[in-house]
Amino acid sequence: MTASSPVRTLSKPHLALAMLLPVYPLITTILYIVLPLTEGWTIWQRTAVITPIMVSAMVFVVSPFVQKRFAGFILRAK
């Protein structure tokens, strides 16, 4: 007979909180780098530059980091 582990479900509020911690300094750093380089550009042009950087960082760096380091916090036993 095998022992079954408890079912764990995603806690969206906990995930949001865990994602907020690395995202705030990341977006702030990106803005400090991009804004001086895009002086005089309209907001939509700046956003067009920042968005692919931010999305790539979220998918390949931030999200895996949060899922690995905070799994116990964001996954709750039922």
Side-chain angles (χ1 to χ4, degrees):
M1 192 150 99
T2 61
S4 62
S5 52
V7 176
R8 294 168 61 112
T9 59
L10 177 68
S11 170
K12 289 184 180 182
H14 286 188
L15 178 60
L17 182 61
M19 293 293 275
L20 180 66
L21 298 174
V23 167
Y24 176 78
L26 176 62
I27 194 65
T28 302
T29 302
I30 292 171
L31 288 171
Y32 270 115
I33 293 168
V34 171
L35 292 182
L37 300 174
T38 59
E39 198 170 313
W41 292 21
T42 61
I43 192 71
W44 72 266
Q45 292 169 319
R46 288 178 170 178
T47 306
V49 171
I50 292 170
T51 302
I53 298 168
M54 188 63 187
V55 169
S56 297
M58 289 292 299
V59 169
F60 296 110
V61 179
V62 174
S63 189
F65 174 82
V66 167
Q67 290 174 6
K68 186 175 183 179
R69 300 284 191 266
F70 296 99
F73 179 67
I74 60 177
L75 294 174
R76 307 312 252 165
K78 267 195 155 182

